[in-house]
């Protein structure tokens, strides 16, 4: 979710320097002659449609066979049984050492075209060359397509139909269900063992959280993210995973002075103790400060939960599939069971 660092980056200029209309026209003309971009066989035929969370009905004469998606979306669709339909991704995909970013899940990062690996990067040229038939991404705010740069979206979006799925202000189960429905419409078999096993694990993990809360009542949980200058406390009334955790009975800190979008409260490092907490969920993305980075922050070190070593990693942008989200719940249940009241 765009809880802190990502939300602040929404106003940053993208890194993509898009060409003019003439360049784009030439690019598309060239792509029409590119025999290397073949439709994927075996994905079915006949009319296809899907109504996304903008209430926009997306239609095509045949089922889309060349899908480009935000990396976390691609990973979720793979969890639901898609594979060769995914030809391109954008968003953090490869780490500096060349290995897959955790967000990529089971995505084969060598088998897809990476259009951009950081916020603001989205290669229009590579995208057009893929001859995309569908673009899919999250939607945290109305009509805001996650990781599609505002500076170039008017050139990106005309190249293929797009689907946006709401990933804020609803519990985590909702986007999971919506991505499952999209995957099924694109040819995935939701009755496959891989999918049903993922659902069973998710359900068991959800119940484990409920039981952990009952077994260890009164544990106050704070979800947060750190930057060099500010400490962000996330809002469970907006963040989809935190909203679901709260539905399972987890007592989550609710910030009181929210920034635009209501995703978080931004605190100075001197004010990190504003909200008492027994267990801290710390944003584990590479864009956020990690525990080793926070040792230089005295006020962080003074937090009761930190002193008690009750800090656990938090995937602030979940993978919206049952298989992708089950480990988050399992980790949360384990952390709650082990936590002691310290605040």
């Amino acid at each position: 979710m765009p809880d802190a660092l990502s939300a602040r980056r929404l106003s940053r200029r993208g890194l993509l320097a898009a060409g003019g209309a003439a360049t784009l026209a030439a690019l598309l003309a060239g792509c029409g002659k590119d025999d290397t971009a073949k439709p994927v066989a075996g994905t079915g035929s006949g009319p296809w449609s899907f109504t996304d969370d903008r209430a926009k009905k997306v239609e095509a004469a045949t089922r889309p066979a060349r899908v480009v998606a935000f990396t976390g979306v691609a990973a979720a669709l793979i969890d639901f049984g898609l594979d060769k339909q995914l030809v391109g991704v954008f968003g953090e995909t490869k780490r500096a050492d060349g290995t897959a970013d955790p967000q990529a899940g089971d995505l084969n990062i060598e088998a897809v075209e990476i259009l951009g690996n950081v916020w603001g990067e989205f290669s229009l040229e590579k995208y057009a060359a893929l001859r995309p038939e569908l673009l899919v991404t999250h939607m945290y705010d109305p009509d805001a397509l996650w990781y599609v740069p505002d500076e170039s979206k008017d050139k990106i979006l005309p190249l293929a139909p797009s689907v946006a799925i709401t990933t804020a202000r609803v519990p985590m189960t909702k986007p999971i269900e919506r991505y499952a429905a999209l995957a099924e419409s694109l040819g995935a078999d939701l009755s496959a063992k891989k999918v049903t096993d993922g659902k069973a694990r998710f359900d068991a993990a959800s119940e484990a959280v409920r039981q952990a809360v009952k077994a260890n009542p009164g544990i106050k949980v704070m979800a947060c993210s750190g930057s060099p200058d500010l400490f962000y406390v996330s809002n469970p009334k907006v963040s989809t995973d935190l909203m679901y955790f709260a539905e399972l009975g987890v007592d989550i800190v609710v910030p009181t002075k929210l920034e635009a979008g209501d995703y978080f409260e931004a605190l100075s490092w001197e004010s990190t103790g504003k909200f008492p907490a027994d267990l801290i969920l710390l944003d584990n993305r590479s864009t956020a400060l990690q525990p080793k980075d926070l040792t230089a922050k005295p006020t962080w070190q003074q937090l009761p939960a930190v002193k008690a070593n009750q800090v656990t990693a938090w995937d602030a942008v979940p993978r919206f599939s049952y298989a992708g989200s089950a480990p988050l719940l399992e980790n949360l249940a384990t952390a709650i069971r082990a936590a002691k009241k310290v605040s």
Side-chain angles (χ1 to χ4, degrees):
M1 67 168 190
D3 60 8
L5 305 179
S6 299
R8 287 170 64 83
R9 291 203 306 266
L10 290 174
S11 62
R12 284 175 49 183
R13 292 188 58 81
L15 302 180
L16 176 64
T23 302
L24 181 61
L27 187 62
L28 293 176
C31 292
K33 300 173 184 176
D34 183 1
D35 291 332
T36 64
K38 301 291 187 185
V40 177
T43 54
S45 59
W48 174 86
S49 68
F50 184 85
T51 301
D52 76 355
D53 290 345
R54 297 169 293 183
K56 177 181 177 182
K57 187 175 183 180
V58 184
E59 299 179 282
T62 59
R63 179 185 293 162
R66 302 186 62 79
V67 179
V68 174
F70 172 66
T71 299
V73 170
L77 294 174
I78 285 173
D79 289 340
F80 286 121
L82 294 189
D83 185 10
K84 296 188 183 302
Q85 297 94 329
L86 295 156
V87 297
V89 295
F90 51 95
E92 287 82 3
T93 307
K94 276 189 179 182
R95 295 189 289 198
D97 62 2
T99 59
D101 188 275
Q103 179 175 241
D106 291 335
L107 174 69
N108 182 350
I109 63 172
E110 304 301 332
V112 293
E113 185 75 61
I114 299 173
L115 308 181
N117 200 53
V118 297
W119 177 267
E121 281 187 355
F122 190 115
S123 172
L124 181 64
E125 291 80 5
K126 288 181 179 179
Y127 181 58
L130 286 173
R131 293 168 61 182
E133 296 175 7
L134 185 67
L135 173 72
V136 189
T137 193
H138 300 330
M139 184 172 64
Y140 284 95
D141 292 302
D143 296 321
L145 301 186
W146 189 233
Y147 271 66
V148 176
D150 286 340
E151 295 82 359
S152 51
K153 68 179 182 181
D154 289 344
K155 296 181 177 67
I156 293 168
L157 295 181
L159 302 188
S162 61
V163 162
I165 299 297
T166 293
T167 49
R169 302 173 183 83
V170 293
M172 183 167 63
T173 46
K174 184 64 175 177
I176 291 175
E177 290 165 0
R178 293 289 285 144
Y179 278 124
L182 175 62
E184 186 175 39
S185 81
L186 293 171
D189 178 9
L190 299 187
S191 66
K193 186 175 187 300
K194 175 183 177 181
V195 182
T196 57
D197 284 355
K199 178 66 163 62
R201 182 180 176 184
F202 179 89
D203 290 344
S206 296
E207 183 59 27
V209 173
R210 289 191 189 94
Q211 294 305 319
V213 171
K214 290 179 181 178
N216 195 8
I219 298 298
K220 194 76 171 181
V221 178
M222 178 170 64
C224 58
S225 185
S227 75
D229 299 322
L230 293 169
F231 179 73
Y232 304 95
V233 178
S234 294
N235 183 8
K237 296 183 181 299
V238 172
S239 299
T240 181
D241 54 341
L242 303 182
M243 185 180 291
Y244 184 60
F245 299 166
E247 286 188 357
L248 297 175
V250 181
D251 185 6
I252 302 179
V253 166
V254 180
T256 53
K257 190 177 180 182
L258 300 169
E259 301 288 320
D262 294 343
Y263 287 100
F264 55 85
E265 178 170 349
L267 299 171
S268 68
W269 279 104
E270 291 73 23
S271 303
T272 54
K274 178 177 178 179
F275 300 107
D278 305 299
L279 173 64
I280 291 176
L281 306 183
L282 183 66
D283 187 345
N284 67 356
R285 289 175 293 173
S286 59
T287 51
L289 296 182
Q290 297 307 300
K292 61 180 176 59
D293 308 311
L294 293 169
T295 57
K297 301 289 186 184
T299 52
W300 168 260
Q301 297 296 326
Q302 293 166 11
L303 294 177
V306 176
K307 287 182 177 181
N309 197 30
Q310 293 181 176
V311 178
T312 191
W314 172 43
D315 291 300
V317 180
R319 192 163 96 232
F320 292 108
S321 67
Y322 295 115
S325 297
L328 314 185
L329 293 162
E330 291 166 351
N331 293 342
L332 178 62
T334 298
I336 291 173
R337 281 196 299 268
K340 295 179 174 59
K341 284 291 294 179
V342 293
S343 62

